């Protein structure tokens, strides 16, 4: 017997679901998309498989966290602009508050033996997690020799030639655009999120459901959304510049993370080298070790992994004492909130401005071929990131210093758990944290 089509979903019910999702969205983009698919397509039938994947394909093309953008898209499709804003914001806010609290504990009490021991085990686990990310994305993205060559060239470019990440992304996009015209079969997507044809009964937003009136493309609406978005970026940036000056830490954070938000093709792992180059090397907001610790915190909290920027902002604001030595927590909290605003604002604008266009189009190779090439390049970038983390974990004082012989087996064990036993990231990090604490306690370190 076919299940009946769900009735119209009240805004309050949707609000409660998006709030719940914000607290359970562990597992990175793949895990978060899987949770949404199970809840929205299979269990609640708020949206059909094909409409879900159509929205996902658009979000994967965009810079920014695709899972958060997908939640924004579906919320917008169901309950207009406010529905999208609420869905996207609730995907991020729980993670922001949790990270502000954990960042404060880390920076204020990081030298406590308990905290140091836990992070001693977490760092090698993060290295294994990044290696797994390169393997997982590579297995999905590198379907032919051309894409393998793009990944290899990307790795050489960032590892050996120190070419900036934005230049690598732009080059890959150009290769994909030209390649999509000259050799379309080489750059045709497919296989990553193939549709399932299992019948689950009619959905509220089904394959044949007409596009709702608010989701139809209109030039005045597009112009209005772009103007509002420009205002929401310009006002805080102008206030920061006029009140604090262009060279102030908070102003530079706003500008830097605006650029980072527009470069997050391929997810957080891909943009982390860019964040590292700016936040660690150029601005000195935090150290390489703190950057690895921040990624570990990001892995253990719900929400998009790119929320590691909240940790970067908190540590930078705290260390730089932007409000003076008596307001360190306030400085960190404000900086974390500020960088979160500038990082995620473009994601909302991409959905609210571009959604109506997507609803009127279907897969177009000119649209997807650049993404295919960018994704291949991202594999090389992530591999470089794994080597960067491994180096700082195993040789924290450089090759001239001592080798961290206890970290190596933790990293190896984490890799075996992830690759062979398919253990979840949370379980691996938890086990490695306890193991690190045990080893540090036994060694008296």
């Amino acid at each position: 017997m076919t299940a009946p089509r769900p009735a119209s979903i009240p805004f309050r019910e949707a609000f409660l679901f998006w709030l719940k999702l914000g607290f359970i969205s562990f597992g990175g983009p793949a895990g978060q998309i899987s949770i949404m698919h199970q809840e929205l397509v299979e269990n609640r039938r708020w949206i059909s498989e094909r409409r879900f994947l159509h929205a996902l394909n658009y979000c994967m093309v965009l810079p920014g966290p695709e899972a958060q953008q997908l939640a924004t898209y579906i919320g917008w499709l169901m309950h207009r602009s406010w529905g999208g804003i609420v869905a996207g914001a609730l995907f991020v806010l729980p993670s922001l508050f949790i990270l502000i609290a954990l960042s404060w504990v880390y920076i204020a009490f990081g030298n406590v033996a308990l905290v140091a021991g836990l992070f001693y085990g977490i760092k090698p686990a993060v290295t294994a997690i990044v290696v797994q990310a390169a393997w997982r994305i590579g297995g999905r993205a590198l379907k032919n020799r051309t894409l393998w060559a793009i990944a290899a060239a990307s790795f050489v470019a960032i590892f050996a030639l120190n070419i900036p990440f934005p230049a690598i992304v732009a080059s890959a996009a150009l290769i994909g655009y030209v390649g999509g015209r000259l050799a379309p079969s080489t750059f045709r997507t497919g296989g990553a999120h193939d549709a399932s044809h299992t019948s689950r009964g009619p959905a509220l937003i089904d394959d044949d459901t007409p596009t709702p009136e608010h989701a139809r493309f209109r030039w005045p609406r597009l112009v209005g959304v772009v103007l509002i978005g420009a205002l929401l970026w310009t006002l805080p940036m102008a206030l920061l510049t006029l009140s604090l000056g262009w060279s102030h830490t908070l102003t530079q954070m706003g500008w830097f993370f605006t650029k980072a938000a527009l470069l997050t093709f391929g997810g957080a792992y891909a943009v982390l080298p860019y964040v590292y180059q700016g936040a660690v090397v150029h601005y000195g907001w935090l150290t390489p070790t703190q950057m690895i610790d921040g990624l570990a915190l990001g892995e253990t909290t719900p929400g998009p992994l790119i929320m590691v920027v909240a940790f970067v902002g908190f540590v930078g604001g705290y260390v730089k004492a932007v409000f003076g030595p008596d307001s360190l927590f306030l400085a960190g909290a404000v900086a974390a909130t500020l960088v979160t605003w500038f990082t995620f604002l473009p994601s909302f604008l991409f959905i609210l401005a571009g959604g109506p266009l997507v609803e009127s189009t279907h897969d177009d190779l000119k649209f997807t071929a650049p993404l295919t090439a960018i994704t291949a390049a991202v594999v090389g970038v992530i591999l470089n990131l794994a080597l960067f983390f491994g180096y700082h974990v195993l040789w924290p004082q450089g090759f001239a210093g001592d080798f961290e012989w206890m970290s190596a087996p933790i990293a190896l064990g984490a890799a075996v758990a992830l690759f062979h036993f398919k253990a979840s990231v949370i379980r691996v990090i938890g086990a490695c944290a306890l193991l690190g604490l045990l080893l540090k306690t036994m060694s008296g370190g």
Side-chain angles (χ1 to χ4, degrees), residues 367-380:
F367 196 52
T368 58
L371 171 68
T372 302
I374 288 171
T375 306
V378 161
V379 176

Side-chain angles (χ1 to χ4, degrees), residues 198-223:
T198 304
S199 176
R200 301 185 178 91
L204 175 65
I205 303 173
D206 216 335
D207 296 349
D208 56 356
T209 302
T211 300
E213 188 64 25
H214 71 270
R216 297 182 185 277
F217 177 75
R218 292 183 180 85
W219 278 109
R221 182 188 179 281
L222 175 61
V223 172

